[in-house]
Amino acid sequence: MPPKTFREAESIYDRATNLEFVADFESAFHLYLEATDAFLHLSRSATATPAFQAQCKASAAKAIQRAEKIRKASKTPGAQISVVAAPIDSFGSEYQAYVLRKSSTVNNVRYPLWKEPVPLPLKPGTHYSDPNGQPSPPLPKTTSSTTITWKRPSFDIFTFFELSLTLTPSDINQTFTGDCSVCASVAVCIQHNQRFNSRLLSSSLFPGNQPGRYDLKAYLNGDCRRVPIDDLLPFDDSGRPVGVSSGGKAFAWPALIEKAYLKLMGGYDFPGSNSSVDLRILTGWIPEHIELQSTSFERERTWERLANGFRNGHCVVTTGTDTKTLLKIEGVKLLPGHDYAVVGIRETESERWFTLVNSTVPVTSSSFHAERENRSSPNNSRLLDMRWDSICATFEGIYTSWDPGLFQYDAIHHDVWKPSDTDDKVQTSVRHLRLRYECQMSPDRGGGTLDMSKDVWVLLTRHLSHTRRGAEYISLAVHPEDEDDWRDIWVRTGNTEGPYTTSPYVLVKTKVGEGFPTLPSPSVSRPKISGALSIFASYDGPFDDVFFTVNVYCGADVKASWDGDSGIEDLISPRGSGFSIKVDGTLTTKNAGGNHTHPTYMLNPQWHLRIYDENASSSGVGAFTSGGKASPLKGFVENSKIVAVGEKNKTGQKSVVVLSAQGPREVPLNVTAVWSSGKRIFELAQKEVVASSGAYTYGRARAAEDMASGDYTVILSAFEPQIHLGQFTLKVESSRKVDLTPIPQEGAGMYARVSKGEW
C-alpha cells in the first residue's frame, strides 16, 4: 500500500540509508527503489501543489541515484555486493498504467487520458484561450498573402449537430494546407453518417467546461486522450479559411476537428499522412494499408472484402496516389501524392466501380447536386467514377478503416522497447509476446472469405512523442506455436509478416481453426481447439525507450488472453526446460553468398548444430529452469480420437527447435537447417531440408520445427550475394541440450601463394 504522507516516504529512505551504512546493500537497494516509488506516488496526488510536487520529485531523484550507485558497484569485477532487481510484471496493471502515463506527452504538450478528471477553469465564465497557443499555420502558397488571422465563428458551433446529415462529402473543401488525408477522412465519415446515421467522427468532438473550449476525444498512444482547443479558426487576409472548409455551408465542426488533430501533429504545416492513420486517432477504427503494387496483393479477394465491408458500413475507404503519379483517368488529371475519398463501391453487370471525391476542387452548386444524385457529370470535377482495374493499376494504396465492433473479443498490451539496456542492440529491439487462444468450432456460416468468426487481427502501434522526427521503423510478425503436424490445417500462416515501415501502425491478420473438419449442423456438439500465437514487435531506430501498444481483435469464435509468463528469451515453452545459444556475426563481401540459386550459396555462414538425447550433456546454455512441459499448443476435440498437439514431444522422440536471425531492416534473411553430418553444405537439396524460415523477410527470419537428435547444418543467408550485408545475430533455442559450432569456409586457415610466369 503506498504511503499517505511525505514523512512515511522519508522513513523508507532513512531505513535504506541505515542498511547501506551497515553494508546490507541488497536490502538497501530495494528500499531505495521503494522510496522512489513512494515519492513519485505522492507527487502525482491530485491535491499536490507545484512546490510539493517539486519536493517529492527531488527526493525521488535522490533515492534512485543511491540505488543506481549500488547497482553499478555490484557490476564491478570482484565486488562483494550482490544485487538482484525484482522482476517487472509487464502485464500488471501498475506497469500498464505507467506506460500510458509516460506516453501522455506529444511535441512537449501533455494530453491526459480521457478518463482523468478535467481541472476546473481558473476564471469560470471567461472565454477559453488555449494555453499552448495556436497551431503553427503555413503561409498560403497560392496567394501573396502573408497574414493569418484567427477568428471565432459567428454562430453556435454545436447547433449543427442535429442537422449534420445535411452536410455531404462533396461539401468538404481542401484550401491551402497539405492535409488531403484529413479532408478525405472527414468526407468518408460524413458519407458514413448519411448512410447509417452513425455520427462517426462528429461524435468525437465535445463542448468543454468553459465557453469557447472544445475537447477532441483522440485515440492516441494506446488509449483515449483529451485534446483541448479553443474556437478560433485560421483565415488569410482575404477572409478565406486556412484548412478544411464546408464551402458555402456554415459547418465549423470539420475545421475544429482538423485543428485539434493538427495540434497533435505539430501544426497546419502538416507533412501529410494517410486516412487510415488519421482515422485511427480520430475514431479508434482499425487501420489497414493495402499496397496495390505489392506482389502479395490479391485483387479479387480484396474487392470482395471491401465491397462487402463498405456495403454493410463495416469500413470506410480512401485511396492515394504516389508522388510520381501524373496521369489522366476518365479525362481527369490525378494529383501526385494525393488522398481521395471513396464514397461509392458498386458492381454492375459488366464492371466494378469506385466513386472518388477530390477535395481540392472548389465546391460549386452543380457539384453538390451531382453528388446528391450519386453520379458524375461534366460540370462536377469533384466526383470521379473509376473502374476497379484502373484503381489497381494507377494508385499506390487503399487506406481502409475497420469498425472494431466487428470483433467480439479483444486484448491489449502496452510496453516499451529499450535498446540501450544491453550491448545486444539487435535483440533488445524485439519484444516477444505470447497470446493464448481458444477457438470454438462452429458450422460453416457460408461466408467464404468474408467470414471473420475465426479471424485474429494484431495491430502494433508505435507511440508518438515527437511527430516530426524520422528514421523510426517498426515491424510485426505473428507465428503459430503449434509444432505438430496439425499446424498446417489449424492456423492459416499466410500474411503473418508485416514489413518494416515508418508508419506508426502495422496490421497483421491471420485465422485460427482453418481447415478443421466442418461441422454438419448446429446440433452437433461444438468442439474447441486451443493454442498460442507468438507475436514479435520490432523497432529499428536511433531512439531509446520507445513505447508501443499491441491490440488483438478476435472474431466471434475466438477468445484470447496474454500469457504473462512469456518473455523475449522464452520462446520454446514458458516455464519449461530448454536451452539457448546465441552467436553474432557479419555478412561481408567474402561470406554473403546469396540465396540457394546462386553458385556462391556455399559461402554463407554455416554452423554445426548437434541436438543431444534427453539425458546427454553439452555446452549449451540453459535458458529455462523448471520441469519440461508439452509443446505450447494443445489441441483437443471432445469425444474424438485426435491426439493432443505436443504429444509427440512428450514421448521423447523429438526436440522443439526455434532458429531465429535478426539483422538490418533492409537485408532480407533466411535461416535453414539441413540434415547432415555437421559438414559444410555446397549445394542445397530440398529433400535434406529439415527446417526453413521460408521466403526471405526483411530484418529477420524464424524457423520452428520438431527435430530428432543428431547433427545438422544451419545456414544463414541474405537474398543477394555481396549486396545484402551487415551485422546479424543468430539464436538457437531448443527443448533439449544443443551445441552450435561454426563451420569454417573451404580453405580457411590455409596460406595463399601466387606464382606468376610467362608462356
Side-chain angles (χ1 to χ4, degrees), residues 701-747:
R702 183 180 186 271
E705 195 59 64
D706 289 351
M707 298 171 63
S709 302
D711 296 301
Y712 302 86
T713 297
V714 176
I715 309 165
L716 175 68
S717 61
F719 190 74
E720 291 290 348
Q722 300 186 346
I723 294 178
H724 291 137
L725 311 174
Q727 295 181 339
F728 65 83
T729 296
L730 174 69
K731 194 171 186 180
V732 179
E733 296 167 289
S734 172
S735 57
R736 291 198 197 151
K737 298 174 183 179
V738 293
D739 275 336
L740 190 68
T741 307
I743 302 175
Q745 284 190 354
E746 188 75 11

Side-chain angles (χ1 to χ4, degrees), residues 84-152:
V84 179
I88 297 176
D89 180 11
S90 61
F91 290 89
S93 58
E94 291 185 4
Y95 184 83
Q96 296 294 289
Y98 162 79
V99 173
L100 292 177
R101 189 168 60 248
K102 293 290 288 185
S103 300
S104 296
T105 301
V106 180
N107 296 328
N108 299 317
V109 178
R110 182 178 182 273
Y111 297 102
L113 295 174
W114 186 261
K115 59 189 175 184
E116 292 183 22
V118 181
L120 295 175
L122 296 177
K123 297 180 179 179
T126 59
H127 216 87
Y128 178 76
S129 178
D130 193 339
N132 298 306
Q134 303 299 341
S136 57
L139 294 178
K141 298 179 181 179
T142 57
T143 70
S144 58
S145 172
T146 58
T147 303
I148 297 295
T149 304
W150 294 88
K151 299 179 181 179
R152 182 170 293 114

Side-chain angles (χ1 to χ4, degrees), residues 468-548:
R468 302 300 172 90
R469 76 184 189 187
E472 292 188 275
Y473 297 83
I474 62 173
S475 183
L476 179 67
V478 180
H479 297 286
E481 287 194 3
D482 179 4
E483 307 304 340
D484 191 85
D485 293 339
W486 289 98
R487 171 183 54 196
D488 293 335
I489 68 166
W490 279 7
V491 181
R492 180 198 286 177
T493 57
N495 192 29
T496 56
E497 296 277 349
Y500 276 96
T501 176
T502 55
S503 170
Y505 303 103
V506 178
L507 178 68
V508 168
K509 300 180 296 181
T510 188
K511 285 181 180 287
V512 298
E514 281 272 288
F516 198 85
T518 303
L519 299 182
S521 68
S523 61
V524 177
S525 177
R526 298 179 64 189
K528 299 178 182 178
I529 61 170
S530 60
L533 297 174
S534 275
I535 298 173
F536 297 89
S538 303
Y539 171 81
D540 189 329
F543 303 101
D544 298 343
D545 292 353
V546 178
F547 297 96
F548 68 91

Side-chain angles (χ1 to χ4, degrees), residues 153-167:
S154 58
F155 53 89
D156 183 0
I157 293 173
F158 276 87
T159 58
F160 64 81
F161 275 141
E162 297 303 322
L163 305 174
S164 60
L165 293 182
T166 64
L167 196 62

Side-chain angles (χ1 to χ4, degrees), residues 333-360:
K333 181 180 178 181
L334 297 179
L335 300 176
H338 188 61
D339 210 337
Y340 293 82
V342 177
V343 297
I345 299 179
R346 68 188 189 279
E347 185 170 3
T348 64
E349 293 182 359
S350 59
E351 200 55 79
R352 296 177 294 190
W353 299 90
F354 268 31
T355 301
L356 312 182
V357 173
N358 183 5
S359 59
T360 61

Side-chain angles (χ1 to χ4, degrees), residues 292 318-322 325 335 337-340 394-399:
L292 296 176
T318 67
T319 185
T321 57
D322 60 25
T325 297
L335 300 176
H338 188 61
D339 210 337
Y340 293 82
T394 307
F395 285 79
E396 179 273 333
I398 293 176
Y399 315 116

Side-chain angles (χ1 to χ4, degrees), residues 99-406:
V99 173
L100 292 177
R101 189 168 60 248
K102 293 290 288 185
S103 300
S104 296
T105 301
V106 180
N107 296 328
N108 299 317
V109 178
R110 182 178 182 273
Y111 297 102
L113 295 174
W114 186 261
K115 59 189 175 184
E116 292 183 22
V118 181
L120 295 175
L122 296 177
K123 297 180 179 179
T126 59
H127 216 87
Y128 178 76
S129 178
D130 193 339
N132 298 306
Q134 303 299 341
S136 57
L139 294 178
K141 298 179 181 179
T142 57
T143 70
S144 58
S145 172
T146 58
T147 303
I148 297 295
T149 304
W150 294 88
K151 299 179 181 179
R152 182 170 293 114
S154 58
F155 53 89
D156 183 0
I157 293 173
F158 276 87
T159 58
F160 64 81
F161 275 141
E162 297 303 322
L163 305 174
S164 60
L165 293 182
T166 64
L167 196 62
T168 68
S170 285
D171 293 326
I172 299 303
N173 190 35
Q174 180 185 351
T175 53
F176 301 116
T177 65
D179 61 339
C180 58
S181 65
V182 180
C183 293
S185 298
V186 174
V188 296
C189 288
I190 289 173
Q191 200 256 1
H192 196 275
N193 295 340
Q194 283 184 311
R195 297 175 60 212
F196 302 100
N197 196 22
S198 61
R199 296 172 62 90
L200 184 64
L201 185 61
S202 63
S203 60
S204 298
L205 190 66
F206 295 80
N209 62 351
Q210 194 173 350
R213 169 172 170 160
Y214 299 92
D215 293 339
L216 176 70
K217 187 176 184 180
Y219 194 88
L220 173 70
N221 292 351
D223 208 339
C224 294
R225 300 181 185 274
R226 190 179 303 273
V227 183
I229 57 169
D230 57 33
D231 58 359
L232 299 178
L233 295 175
F235 295 83
D236 66 9
D237 52 8
S238 299
R240 290 176 295 185
V242 177
V244 64
S245 72
S246 56
K249 297 183 179 180
F251 289 94
W253 67 266
L256 289 172
I257 288 179
E258 178 196 47
K259 177 183 178 180
Y261 180 68
L262 296 185
K263 175 184 176 181
L264 271 177
M265 295 295 109
Y268 280 81
D269 52 342
F270 188 48
S273 178
N274 71 63
S275 291
S276 64
V277 172
D278 301 339
L279 287 174
R280 175 61 176 176
I281 294 178
L282 293 172
T283 66
W285 281 30
I286 305 168
E288 181 184 13
H289 180 188
I290 303 171
E291 297 184 18
L292 296 176
Q293 309 310 317
S294 170
T295 56
S296 61
F297 171 59
E298 299 175 308
R299 178 179 301 199
E300 297 305 314
R301 183 187 294 268
T302 301
W303 169 264
E304 191 176 9
R305 288 176 56 242
L306 293 181
N308 180 74
F310 183 87
R311 181 171 58 251
N312 294 294
H314 298 326
C315 67
V316 292
V317 183
T318 67
T319 185
T321 57
D322 60 25
T323 56
K324 300 178 181 179
T325 297
L326 292 172
L327 295 175
K328 271 193 173 183
I329 300 295
E330 311 292 340
V332 177
K333 181 180 178 181
L334 297 179
L335 300 176
H338 188 61
D339 210 337
Y340 293 82
V342 177
V343 297
I345 299 179
R346 68 188 189 279
E347 185 170 3
T348 64
E349 293 182 359
S350 59
E351 200 55 79
R352 296 177 294 190
W353 299 90
F354 268 31
T355 301
L356 312 182
V357 173
N358 183 5
S359 59
T360 61
V361 178
V363 177
T364 64
S365 59
S366 61
S367 68
F368 167 72
H369 291 297
E371 198 279 334
R372 288 293 294 268
E373 296 174 14
N374 194 25
R375 59 177 177 83
S376 300
S377 77
N379 298 321
N380 181 24
S381 57
R382 293 179 63 82
L383 286 177
L384 172 64
D385 282 337
M386 285 192 65
R387 294 175 177 85
W388 170 241
D389 290 342
S390 299
I391 292 284
C392 296
T394 307
F395 285 79
E396 179 273 333
I398 293 176
Y399 315 116
T400 310
S401 298
W402 294 90
D403 182 0
L406 284 169

